[in-house]
Amino acid sequence: MSGPEPILSIKDLKLHFPVRGRGFGATRWLKAVDGVSFDVFPSETLGIVGESGSGKSTVGRAVLQLLKPTAGRVVWLGENIAGFSRAKMKPYRRQMQIVFQDPLASLNPRMTAGDIIAEPLDTFEPNLSAGDRKKRVQEIMDKVGLLPQMINRYPHEFSGGQNQRIGIARAMILKPKLIVADEPVSSLDVSIRAQIINLLADLQAEMGVALIFISHDLAVVRHVSHRVLVLYLGKVMELAESSVLLSKPRHPYTQALLSAAPVPDPEIERGKKRILLEGDLPSPLNPPSGCVFRTRCPIAQAICAKEVPALEPRGGASDHVVACHFPS
Amino acid sequence: MTPILSVKDMSVRFSTPEGPVSAVSGVSFDVAKGECVGIVGESGSGKSQTFMSVMGLLATNGKATGSAKFKGEELVGMKIDKLNKIRGSKMTMIFQDPMTSLTPHLKISRQLTEVLVLHKGMSERDARAKALQMLERVKIPDAKRRLDEYPHEFSGGMRQRVMIAMALICEPELLIADEPSTALDVTVQAQILELMQELRAQGDMSIVMITHDLGVVAGLCNRVMVMYAGEFCETGHVDQIFHDPQHPYTRGLVGSIPRLDRPGEERLTAIRGQPPNLQHLPKGCTFQERCDFVFDRCIAERPKLTGFAEGRGKACHLKGFDAKHEVIR
């Protein structure tokens, strides 16, 4: 992707959380995100995939300064907003919004759907007349596939899929430039999940919003994203265009993730040789030295324990970067 | 040959403050010896409740009617003492959440040997040897040391392995697995599925795999039964269900899944709307409001699960779909 300037540029982002030890034990640091860099271009979907503890949600929250980075830069349209206070962040919030995983928990149960969706309007366009406000809300409700007459209902009267539509409407109403969608479909049933995935794709095509789509499900991420970033224990393992990542994964972790995802086709599944990783993710409190993936890596060698591999093209296409000493 | 499990016209109703909810409405099916059956459905389809009733584990406000026979013995209404001799020994169940299914203050060894002492009357010493052997069978590394650890010292994937070991330790004839890999990370899920596949290949134990994930049943099961709103809407061999689904819901479900093996930018064929409220099920087909092919009969009359080809059944008034995916009315 050359040509257009990125709207968002993350440089060497770090988020370390203090974890107090027992008694006089020294405070330990949980490195949830440890040196992550990526760009997001206008109107593109960047997928972030990772297992639990990979730091994918923390990255999403750090983009919006809902969590303050320990180090690194978050450059929004040329300006570093890392560490901005709430007050200083306010004008930027118009341009970037977030959609959460659990639709019901992220909506105030005592507010009507209409008031929830209008909340960003009340904050940023307080002088809007009541009629215009209602019109804007009904417009966006129609766009996300909610019946405008449902405007006075409360979240508990909606299903999970409909509540997620409310969350998306709230994020979309100010026509932001970027939406961070943090596992937006993970709590939904398969048939409803497809509706929401299609909805996000339609809205992006229509409104030109950029998306950061965070999920543990590689198939979903691949489907919605133009480019995919693979995270493991707070570090980027691989970043490539999504079709390339699928057809030519170069990092052994990406390869294992791809082979682990069950494919809904009996012939493929029966004939498949899975690359099985041993054990579970190591604790982010005590990550392995060198390459963080080496303890589960099928091709790890001595150097992997000593040196952290840099995220580089390593002989491949310039937009396909991989952090591995022995990429395939 | 008598099937291992034979369920006839089973219904499950829950009484709630808002009125009765029918979670399962009159399902019938058999599970044969050595078979691996996949039960696929979304939340609220009744897939778990069907088997909770088989195990006699329904919540107190739930009531099962109909018949469920384990090797010819009626389970519905069976005295608890007698039921306890069967479940946990000849018929076992593993659950989705391995974090809450183990007793936190008992060592793994104790939790594993308890069943053996209780069901098989083994001595503690023999039971311990057997427990160790089971942990090794489910591939827990360093099993000898881990036997004397507590559940909190195990990771999620390891705890699910312990659960599987516990379910298998009495060598059951039927294993019911309710979303055993759903709560786990993708790479750990792959390990558990691989283990399930091995167990299946090892012996003549029958397995029922309950899941919402069609990908999970694809590689593991020979037969699949798709549930919707408390009934089976389509049943058949796994290849038929995936390559030639004949119920509009199954077709929608298969088309709803983003696939890693098809790199095109194709749009998902989402099913519109949402599942019906189980308190107010329509008179006709439960899928009518979401179906693209609905006609008069679907509204007037609830279709019954009917065989239409060798080993296949569907509950739909449509004649079917041809090879070009065109509907035949």
Side-chain angles (χ1 to χ4, degrees):
Chain A
M1 277 227 176
S2 63
E5 286 288 301
I7 53 170
L8 177 75
S9 207
I10 303 287
K11 296 248 158 64
D12 204 19
L13 183 74
K14 289 182 181 167
L15 277 101
H16 298 174
F17 299 99
V19 177
R20 262 207 234 142
R22 284 190 201 134
F24 295 104
T27 304
R28 293 185 298 169
W29 291 91
L30 188 148
K31 297 177 178 172
V33 177
D34 200 24
V36 166
S37 304
F38 60 88
D39 291 337
V40 179
F41 294 91
S43 307
E44 86 158 336
T45 301
L46 175 77
I48 300 184
V49 68
E51 297 180 271
S52 42
S54 63
K56 55 190 190 301
S57 293
T58 311
V59 168
R61 281 164 171 72
V63 166
L64 284 98
Q65 302 304 311
L66 296 173
L67 289 169
K68 299 287 175 238
T70 312
R73 297 201 296 154
V74 177
V75 179
W76 175 254
L77 298 171
E79 190 180 2
N80 183 13
I81 59 169
F84 270 23
S85 65
R86 261 180 96 122
K88 252 176 120 181
M89 265 310 285
K90 195 176 161 190
Y92 298 89
R93 298 237 183 270
R94 255 200 105 114
Q95 301 167 344
M96 40 174 117
Q97 292 284 328
I98 186 163
V99 175
F100 296 99
Q101 171 172 358
D102 186 340
L104 194 56
S106 56
L107 304 177
N108 186 338
R110 296 172 59 170
M111 284 166 72
T112 63
D115 285 338
I116 290 170
I117 296 169
E119 232 188 338
L121 277 184
D122 298 342
T123 310
F124 289 103
E125 297 174 33
N127 300 324
L128 214 61
S129 76
D132 283 349
R133 178 179 181 266
K134 191 172 171 192
K135 201 171 133 247
R136 291 271 294 274
V137 170
Q138 290 189 327
E139 263 171 29
I140 195 83
M141 283 179 81
D142 185 49
K143 257 195 191 124
V144 300
L146 290 167
L147 294 172
Q149 58 262 37
M150 292 173 169
I151 192 166
N152 288 323
R153 292 209 197 155
Y154 289 88
H156 75 266
E157 298 177 77
F158 292 93
S159 66
Q162 285 174 322
N163 276 319
Q164 197 56 291
R165 287 174 196 266
I166 295 176
I168 292 169
R170 173 174 64 182
M172 284 280 183
I173 197 162
L174 293 169
K175 301 199 169 68
K177 292 196 171 75
L178 172 75
I179 289 182
V180 175
D182 188 1
E183 302 263 16
V185 297
S186 303
S187 65
L188 305 174
D189 268 320
V190 185
S191 69
I192 311 292
R193 187 185 298 177
Q195 294 172 4
I196 300 294
I197 290 174
N198 286 344
L199 173 67
L200 284 170
D202 292 345
L203 289 172
Q204 183 174 49
E206 196 187 323
M207 304 170 87
V209 62
L211 278 171
I212 295 180
F213 191 101
I214 300 168
S215 177
H216 68 281
D217 187 334
L218 189 56
V220 170
V221 167
R222 199 282 303 168
H223 187 87
V224 300
S225 310
H226 302 108
R227 292 186 304 142
V228 175
L229 178 101
V230 182
L231 272 184
Y232 185 83
L233 275 189
K235 284 186 186 296
V236 180
M237 297 289 109
E238 189 164 5
L239 170 62
E241 219 173 280
S242 79
S243 58
V244 176
L245 191 89
L246 193 69
S247 56
K248 295 189 194 78
R250 301 188 65 201
H251 198 288
Y253 178 60
T254 315
Q255 289 162 359
L257 263 190
L258 273 168
S259 92
V263 172
D265 186 315
E267 279 158 41
I268 297 179
E269 275 297 300
R270 275 185 226 124
K272 189 155 94 178
K273 275 249 176 297
R274 286 206 182 86
I275 307 170
L276 281 186
L277 296 182
E278 298 210 351
D280 297 83
L281 269 94
S283 161
L285 264 177
N286 187 18
S289 64
C291 171
V292 285
F293 181 59
R294 71 174 168 86
T295 52
R296 299 174 76 200
C297 182
I299 57 166
Q301 299 192 18
I303 184 176
C304 304
K306 288 188 206 108
E307 272 176 48
V308 180
L311 187 67
E312 294 167 341
R314 303 221 34 140
S318 65
D319 60 352
H320 185 173
V321 287
V322 54
C324 179
H325 291 300
F326 307 101
S328 52
Chain B
M1 202 165 79
T2 41
I4 292 287
L5 182 69
S6 179
V7 173
K8 290 260 156 6
D9 203 26
M10 177 182 269
S11 296
V12 180
R13 279 168 87 83
F14 288 95
S15 55
T16 70
E18 286 86 37
V21 172
S22 57
V24 181
S25 337
V27 295
S28 304
F29 62 93
D30 289 344
V31 178
K33 192 176 164 77
E35 196 184 21
C36 181
V37 184
I39 312 286
V40 176
E42 299 181 84
S43 41
S45 61
K47 56 189 191 304
S48 293
Q49 295 311 330
T50 303
F51 289 92
M52 290 299 254
S53 331
V54 167
M55 290 291 285
L57 292 173
L58 275 186
T60 47
N61 64 338
K63 188 166 170 49
T65 53
S67 154
K69 287 189 174 143
F70 179 79
K71 295 174 83 184
E73 263 191 287
E74 182 59 57
L75 297 170
V76 176
M78 185 184 262
K79 284 238 167 59
I80 197 98
D81 301 356
K82 217 175 151 200
L83 188 59
N84 279 344
K85 290 227 158 61
I86 296 177
R87 60 177 184 193
S89 160
K90 293 178 188 150
M91 169 174 85
T92 55
M93 190 161 178
I94 46 178
F95 301 93
Q96 174 172 351
D97 189 355
M99 302 300 166
T100 54
S101 303
L102 290 166
T103 313
H105 64 278
L106 293 180
K107 283 180 185 170
I108 293 299
S109 57
R110 171 82 193 281
Q111 304 197 41
L112 279 170
T113 54
E114 193 179 19
V115 251
L116 289 173
V117 176
L118 209 69
H119 283 297
K120 302 248 153 144
M122 266 191 198
S123 70
E124 283 287 346
R125 197 193 158 95
D126 290 350
R128 197 181 153 86
K130 176 87 185 170
L132 180 62
Q133 192 194 329
M134 279 318 297
L135 285 189
E136 279 164 357
R137 189 167 160 207
V138 298
K139 305 222 169 66
I140 289 188
D142 201 5
K144 204 164 190 171
R145 180 177 60 84
R146 305 225 71 175
L147 201 53
D148 287 311
E149 290 188 350
Y150 291 91
H152 76 266
E153 297 173 86
F154 286 67
S155 67
M158 284 298 153
R159 275 187 234 189
Q160 195 57 290
R161 283 173 199 264
V162 173
M163 289 306 298
I164 295 173
M166 201 185 282
L168 295 179
I169 202 160
C170 285
E171 280 151 22
E173 290 167 74
L174 174 64
L175 173 70
I176 301 167
D178 189 356
E179 306 260 14
S181 59
T182 308
L184 306 171
D185 272 318
V186 193
T187 52
V188 183
Q189 163 170 321
Q191 298 166 356
I192 297 292
L193 289 181
E194 192 79 11
L195 176 64
M196 295 289 297
Q197 232 146 11
E198 278 176 36
L199 294 173
R200 208 203 129 191
Q202 273 169 15
D204 46 12
M205 177 174 69
S206 308
I207 300 176
V208 172
M209 184 81 178
I210 305 169
T211 180
H212 70 282
D213 189 342
L214 279 170
V216 167
V217 301
L220 189 66
C221 304
N222 13 34
R223 202 150 61 86
V224 177
M225 303 197 280
V226 184
M227 269 192 112
Y228 187 79
E231 290 169 317
F232 289 117
C233 63
E234 185 164 358
T235 61
H237 189 269
V238 63
D239 294 88
Q240 296 162 336
I241 294 284
F242 281 89
H243 296 308
D244 177 34
Q246 287 293 326
H247 192 288
Y249 176 66
T250 320
R251 298 180 74 82
L253 213 53
V254 172
S256 292
I257 316 167
R259 299 179 58 147
L260 283 170
D261 57 323
R262 290 188 192 154
E265 292 296 307
E266 80 280 7
R267 198 177 161 80
L268 301 176
T269 54
I271 308 171
R272 64 191 151 91
Q274 53 207 336
N277 183 339
L278 295 172
Q279 276 177 302
H280 311 285
L281 286 175
K283 179 168 157 244
C285 175
T286 50
F287 189 60
Q288 54 175 286
E289 283 181 14
R290 309 178 73 188
C291 184
D292 290 331
F293 311 101
V294 63
F295 62 110
D296 320 347
R297 200 176 161 202
C298 310
I299 295 157
E301 182 196 334
R302 176 95 52 99
K304 284 199 168 64
L305 185 70
T306 326
F308 65 93
E310 178 67 36
R312 302 193 66 179
K314 66 167 195 251
C316 180
H317 292 313
L318 293 169
K319 283 216 182 69
F321 295 85
D322 64 18
K324 287 187 193 123
H325 305 293
E326 295 292 332
V327 65
I328 317 163
R329 290 190 191 263

